[in-house]
Amino acid sequence: KLGDAKNANFPVDERNAVYHLGVAKGELSQRILTVGDSERASRLTKELLEEVEEEKAHRGFVIHTGKYKGVRVSIVSIGMGTPMMDFLVREGRFVVDGPMAIIRYGTCGSIKDVEVGSLAIAESSILIRRNPDFWHSDNNKDQTKCKPYDISKPVAGDKELIDLLKNDFESIFKDRKTVVGINASADSFYSSQGRIDPEFDDFNEQLIENIIDLYENKVNTLEMETFQLYHLATRSKQPIKAASSTIILANRVTQAFLDNNTKVKLEIEGGRACLESLIKVNLN
Ligand code: R1P
Ligand code: URA
């Protein structure tokens, strides 16, 4: 349990435990596998880690620390969206000494002609943000003055860690395709991923086409956290090596959606591939 917080700029309690993750120095590994779903994190821990330490859970974050092939790693579920990734990277940075490696293993939608149940690795990521000023009465939905969705420039992940991940995915997923390219992280599962919702005035009918055109058909996947991981990793003053991979759960062209049993199987196999890369990466 956290004690009273001190220091409004970066709140910690008397043990120096951070305000949202709820851990202090030594309670998080420098090698982190992060996922969105707490059940995915529990399954991976149960199947793949040994010498598991006491679970820490606070404000929607669940942290499992243990050993994979003798190396201490943390598996952390963060929930959904860029603010949750922001908490993990900043507060994680505070409680870890020295270089860090963070791999995300999530689920995503794809806007390419690729089967659900395929895998994806993000060499880089762009951010898609809904711009509320587009709907403001001063603008009155005038696209020449203000666009409804802003699309950022790409930020790259760590090449060394991404190359390790490509190799480990190739050896573990012999019978499945892994697409490698640009990811897009959106600030909604719905409007800013181009999903059409008749209940809302979203003005997003052209969004997927715009993303495809802007990056010459190189955007493979849509999800909600990778951009923040890559952006903060590149802005961190101490080294953070970051890579992101996903299970393609939804195909936005064919409207196919992956069944749950296959998803659970891929979670474990892909989680193993991520842990292999995580323990190999050099953090000296
Ligand atoms: C939406 O369903 C969630 O799934 C994806 C998105 O990024 C978002 O967090 O990732 P996870 O499966 O890791 O949560
Ligand atoms: N997660 C997302 O963010 N989008 C999808 O389409 C599927 C999973």
Side-chain angles (χ1 to χ4, degrees):
K1 191 162 174 285
L2 277 184
D4 285 339
K6 44 187 175 87
N7 186 359
N9 184 61
F10 196 92
V12 288
D13 72 2
E14 61 277 2
R15 261 186 356 108
N16 268 341
V18 287
Y19 195 60
H20 305 90
L21 292 187
V23 285
K25 271 199 199 303
E27 296 175 346
L28 185 71
S29 167
Q30 65 181 155
R31 298 173 194 267
I32 297 170
L33 170 58
T34 180
V35 302
D37 182 0
S38 59
E39 291 175 19
R40 186 180 315 147
S42 299
R43 277 195 289 271
L44 288 169
T45 303
K46 201 160 156 258
E47 294 275 336
L48 303 172
L49 296 195
E50 291 171 341
E51 296 180 47
V52 177
E53 301 168 22
E54 186 194 355
E55 176 188 301
K56 308 273 181 189
H58 193 249
R59 290 293 288 257
F61 297 92
V62 186
I63 300 177
H64 308 264
T65 299
K67 291 206 173 142
Y68 181 73
K69 296 193 172 169
V71 181
R72 190 169 182 254
V73 299
S74 293
I75 299 181
V76 183
S77 68
I78 65 168
M80 292 172 261
T82 53
M84 297 301 271
M85 184 60 87
D86 196 77
F87 285 127
L88 172 67
V89 180
R90 289 178 188 277
E91 295 189 2
R93 180 63 281 173
F94 184 83
V95 297
V96 170
D97 289 326
M100 296 173 73
I102 307 178
I103 297 182
R104 165 169 155 74
Y105 188 44
T107 59
C108 70
S110 180
I111 52 179
K112 294 299 259 301
D113 179 19
V114 54
E115 270 184 76
V116 295
S118 304
L119 292 308
I121 293 176
E123 284 183 323
S124 65
S125 182
I126 58 173
L127 181 66
I128 305 170
R129 276 164 300 180
R130 182 173 167 114
N131 182 359
D133 287 354
F134 172 78
W135 287 268
H136 192 280
S137 53
D138 287 352
N139 186 60
N140 215 11
K141 299 201 253 181
D142 179 352
Q143 283 205 78
T144 62
K145 287 197 279 170
C146 174
K147 296 217 166 63
Y149 298 89
D150 294 328
I151 304 176
S152 80
K153 293 195 162 80
V155 174
D158 181 77
K159 190 171 176 322
E160 180 196 353
L161 193 52
I162 288 169
D163 285 345
L164 285 171
L165 211 48
K166 283 184 202 166
N167 280 333
D168 286 318
F169 267 55
E170 229 169 74
S171 39
I172 287 191
F173 293 113
K174 293 212 166 53
D175 55 347
R176 285 184 189 267
K177 191 178 169 73
T178 298
V179 293
V180 179
I182 306 177
N183 163 258
S185 295
D187 64 2
S188 166
F189 180 85
Y190 295 102
S191 66
S192 33
Q193 290 189 27
R195 288 190 161 89
I196 306 301
D197 184 344
E199 296 290 339
F200 289 89
D201 170 20
D202 285 328
F203 217 93
N204 64 349
E205 290 77 6
Q206 299 304 313
L207 181 58
I208 289 182
E209 273 170 51
N210 291 347
I211 298 165
I212 292 171
D213 290 349
L214 192 58
Y215 287 104
E216 298 162 346
N217 205 18
K218 291 194 184 104
V219 175
N220 292 328
T221 51
L222 287 165
E223 47 79 90
M224 300 177 66
E225 296 82 14
T226 297
F227 181 87
Q228 195 69 8
L229 172 60
Y230 285 8
H231 172 57
L232 285 184
T234 57
R235 304 279 50 92
S236 168
K237 294 179 183 172
Q238 294 189 70
I240 300 180
K241 295 182 176 178
S244 181
S245 47
T246 42
I247 300 168
I248 298 177
L249 193 66
N251 185 302
R252 302 295 310 289
V253 185
T254 63
Q255 304 299 359
F257 206 87
L258 189 65
D259 66 278
N260 209 44
N261 286 343
T262 312
K263 187 187 85 167
V264 169
K265 182 172 157 281
L266 296 177
E267 282 176 342
I268 302 298
E269 290 172 356
R272 192 191 303 279
C274 292
L275 289 170
E276 287 289 332
S277 300
L278 201 57
I279 64 166
K280 272 183 226 149
V281 70
N282 182 4
L283 290 185
N284 291 323

